[in-house]
C-alpha cells in the first residue's frame, strides 16, 4: 500500500528555488504541485504546499507571487469546503501579516479571506476573529478609517476596547466626545451586540475622564442598581456635561432590558421611546436625521417597534456613519446580519 501523500517532496523542490532567487520558477512549481494534489483530492497537502510557499515568497519580498498562491489556497479551501477554525484562520492571518502595505496585495487577500469566512463560517459579515486581527493590524498602522469597520464587525470585547482607544485618539483626545463615542456604540447596537457596546463605552469614558476630569457633572457615578437588589453587582452611570454620552449610557442599559423575561415589553418600549424623545427634543447630534434613523432601527431590533418609514431601503449604519460622523461606511454587500445577544441579568433602570 503506497504511503499517503505528503507535502515534503513538493516543498523540497520549491523552497530552495526561492532561496536561490528563482521566485518565478518556485511560484510555477507550487501551482503545479498544488493543482495536482487538489485534483486528486489531497486538499490538505495542496494547502500546506501553497501556505509554506506563499510564506517564503512573502519573506523574500515577492508580494505578487505570494498573493497569487494565497488566493489559490483560498480556492482550495473552497474545493475542500474548509470550515472556519483556528488552523484555517491562522494560515490566513499569518499570510496577511506578511504581505505588507505595498500596492493592493493585502487588500486582495483580506477581501478573499473575509468572503471565504462569510461563506464557510457562522457569521454573514465574516469571521469575527479575522475581522479582529485585521482591525488590530490597521489600528497599529494608524490607518483608523480602514480599522474601524473591521473592529466593529469583530464585536469582541477586545476589539471594542481597541476601537475605543482608536476613536479617543481620533477625536484629538476627547474633542467632540459624543460624536466619537457614537461611532462605536450605535454600530454595535445596530448589530445587537450589547456586550461590545458596553465594553467600548466603558473604555472610552475611562480615557475621557482621565484626560478631562471636568467632563463629569458629579464627582461620583450614579448607582443604578442599589446594593441588595437582584443585580449581582451595582451598575454605575457617569453623569457628564456631554448630553450624548449620558444618552448612550442610558441607551445601552435600556436595550439590555429588552427581551428580559422579567420586564414587560410594553414598559421597556415606552422607556425607549421616552429616552429617545427626551434627547431628540434638545436638538443636537441625537436629533440629526441619520442618528434618528439608526435609533429607529435599534427600536425595531430590540423593542419590536415598527421600522422607520424612511428606512425601508436604507442601511442605517452606513447612512449614519457617512452622513454626520465623517467616516466611510463599514462593510459591503448590504446591511449587516442583526441578531440579539442573550440579555445580561440584573440590569435595571428603575
Amino acid at each position: 500500500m503506497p504511503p499517503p501523500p505528503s507535502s515534503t517532496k513538493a516543498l523540497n523542490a520549491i523552497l530552495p528555488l526561492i532561496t536561490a532567487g528563482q521566485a518565478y520558477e518556485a511560484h510555477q512549481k507550487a501551482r503545479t504541485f498544488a493543482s495536482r494534489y487538489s485534483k486528486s483530492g489531497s486538499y490538505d497537502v495542496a494547502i500546506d504546499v501553497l501556505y509554506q510557499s506563499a510564506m517564503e515568497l512573502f519573506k523574500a519580498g515577492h508580494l505578487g507571487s505570494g498573493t497569487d498562491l494565497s488566493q489559490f489556497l483560498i480556492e482550495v479551501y473552497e474545493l475542500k469546503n474548509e470550515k472556519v477554525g483556528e488552523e484555517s484562520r491562522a494560515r490566513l492571518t499569518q499570510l496577511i501579516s506578511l504581505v505588507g502595505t505595498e500596492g493592493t496585495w493585502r487588500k486582495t487577500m483580506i477581501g478573499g479571506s473575509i468572503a471565504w469566512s462569510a461563506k464557510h463560517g457562522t457569521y454573514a459579515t465574516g469571521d469575527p476573529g479575522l475581522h479582529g486581527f485585521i482591525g488590530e493590524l490597521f489600528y497599529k498602522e494608524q490607518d483608523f478609517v480602514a480599522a474601524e469597520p473591521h473592529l466593529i464587525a469583530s464585536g469582541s470585547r477586545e476589539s471594542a476596547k481597541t476601537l475605543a482607544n482608536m476613536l479617543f485618539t481620533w477625536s484629538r483626545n476627547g474633542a467632540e466626545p459624543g460624536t466619537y463615542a457614537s461611532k462605536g456604540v450605535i454600530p454595535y447596537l445596530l448589530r445587537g451586540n450589547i456586550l461590545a457596546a458596553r465594553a467600548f463605552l466603558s473604555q472610552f469614558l475611562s480615557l475621557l475622564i482621565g484626560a478631562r476630569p471636568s467632563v463629569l457633572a458629579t464627582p461620583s457615578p450614579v448607582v443604578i442598581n442599589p446594593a441588595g437588589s437582584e443585580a449581582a453587582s451595582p451598575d454605575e452611570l457617569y453623569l457628564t456635561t456631554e448630553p450624548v454620552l449620558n444618552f448612550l449610557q442610558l441607551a445601552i442599559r435600556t436595550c439590555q432590558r429588552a427581551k428580559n423575561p422579567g420586564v414587560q415589553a410594553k414598559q421597556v418600549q415606552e422607556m425607549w421611546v421616552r429616552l429617545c424623545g427626551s434627547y431628540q427634543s434638545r436638538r443636537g447630534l441625537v436629533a440629526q436625521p441619520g442618528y434618528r434613523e439608526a435609533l429607529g432601527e435599534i427600536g425595531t431590533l430590540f423593542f419590536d417597534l415598527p421600522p422607520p418609514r424612511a428606512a425601508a431601503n436604507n442601511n442605517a449604519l452606513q447612512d449614519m456613519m457617512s452622513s454626520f460622523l465623517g467616516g466611510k461606511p463599514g462593510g459591503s454587500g448590504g446591511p449587516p446580519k442583526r441578531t440579539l445577544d442573550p440579555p445580561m441579568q440584573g440590569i435595571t433602570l428603575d
Side-chain angles (χ1 to χ4, degrees):
M1 184 175 180
S6 168
S7 60
T8 303
K9 178 181 177 181
L11 292 173
N12 285 341
I14 296 164
L15 300 187
L17 293 174
I18 300 174
T19 304
Q22 297 176 274
Y24 176 79
E25 291 79 2
H27 171 257
Q28 292 303 303
K29 276 188 178 291
R31 287 196 66 92
T32 299
F33 275 112
S35 295
R36 186 183 306 159
Y37 286 130
S38 63
K39 286 177 182 177
S40 67
S42 300
Y43 298 121
D44 290 337
V45 179
I47 287 169
D48 193 49
V49 168
L50 292 167
Y51 174 59
Q52 300 291 343
S53 300
M55 275 203 306
E56 296 307 314
L57 285 166
F58 281 138
K59 291 175 184 177
H62 301 286
L63 306 185
S65 295
T67 301
D68 179 72
L69 295 187
S70 299
Q71 292 298 101
F72 194 176
L73 184 150
I74 295 173
E75 291 175 21
V76 179
Y77 273 8
E78 293 281 357
L79 290 172
K80 185 191 174 188
N81 196 27
E82 180 81 18
K83 301 300 181 186
V84 177
E86 291 295 329
E87 188 175 13
S88 58
R89 181 194 301 114
R91 292 190 193 99
L92 296 178
T93 56
Q94 177 66 16
L95 294 174
I96 289 169
S97 69
L98 288 172
V99 69
T101 60
E102 184 180 330
T104 61
W105 305 119
R106 187 165 67 181
K107 180 179 179 181
T108 298
M109 287 186 56
I110 288 173
S113 299
I114 294 296
W116 160 76
S117 73
K119 183 177 178 181
H120 295 277
T122 57
Y123 296 85
T125 54
D127 177 60
L130 267 177
H131 277 298
F133 174 84
I134 295 163
E136 289 278 354
L137 188 65
F138 283 129
Y139 168 65
K140 290 174 182 177
E141 295 173 357
Q142 301 288 295
D143 190 346
F144 293 169
V145 171
E148 183 178 15
H150 291 290
L151 293 172
I152 291 169
S154 171
S156 70
R157 194 183 300 268
E158 293 74 19
S159 291
K161 290 181 178 179
T162 298
L163 182 65
N165 294 336
M166 186 186 83
L167 290 176
F168 183 74
T169 302
W170 201 354
S171 73
R172 303 180 303 284
N173 294 330
E176 302 180 72
T179 296
Y180 284 88
S182 295
K183 283 170 76 76
V185 172
I186 298 300
Y188 282 136
L189 291 182
L190 281 166
R191 286 174 163 82
N193 194 337
I194 293 174
L195 294 179
R198 282 191 68 119
F200 167 86
L201 191 56
S202 175
Q203 178 70 4
F204 190 92
L205 285 172
S206 176
L207 293 169
L208 180 63
I209 292 167
R212 289 175 48 197
S214 61
V215 78
L216 288 174
T218 58
S220 301
V222 174
V223 178
I224 297 178
N225 296 53
S229 72
E230 294 181 1
S233 60
D235 192 19
E236 296 179 338
L237 190 96
Y238 290 91
L239 294 181
T240 75
T241 58
E242 297 283 342
V244 178
L245 296 179
N246 298 335
F247 170 76
L248 292 172
Q249 292 179 81
L250 290 168
I252 290 172
R253 286 154 178 82
T254 307
C255 289
Q256 206 157 1
R257 289 194 66 162
K259 312 300 183 184
N260 190 319
V263 179
Q264 292 185 357
K266 185 67 174 176
Q267 179 188 22
V268 77
Q269 282 180 349
E270 291 174 352
M271 290 174 62
W272 176 254
V273 171
R274 287 200 304 269
L275 175 65
C276 293
S278 173
Y279 279 87
Q280 287 168 350
S281 68
R282 306 177 192 185
R283 303 184 183 278
L285 186 66
V286 181
Q288 292 193 18
Y291 213 116
R292 282 179 176 270
E293 185 178 329
L295 295 179
E297 290 209 20
I298 292 170
T300 300
L301 178 64
F302 284 95
F303 309 104
D304 298 322
L305 293 169
R309 284 176 296 178
N313 296 309
N314 289 334
N315 179 349
L317 171 57
Q318 291 190 6
D319 291 346
M320 187 194 74
M321 300 282 276
S322 60
S323 67
F324 73 92
L325 296 178
K328 291 184 179 180
S332 61
K337 183 180 181 180
R338 302 199 178 147
T339 57
L340 287 176
D341 291 337
M344 292 177 67
Q345 299 300 315
I347 300 296
T348 69
L349 292 174
D350 295 336

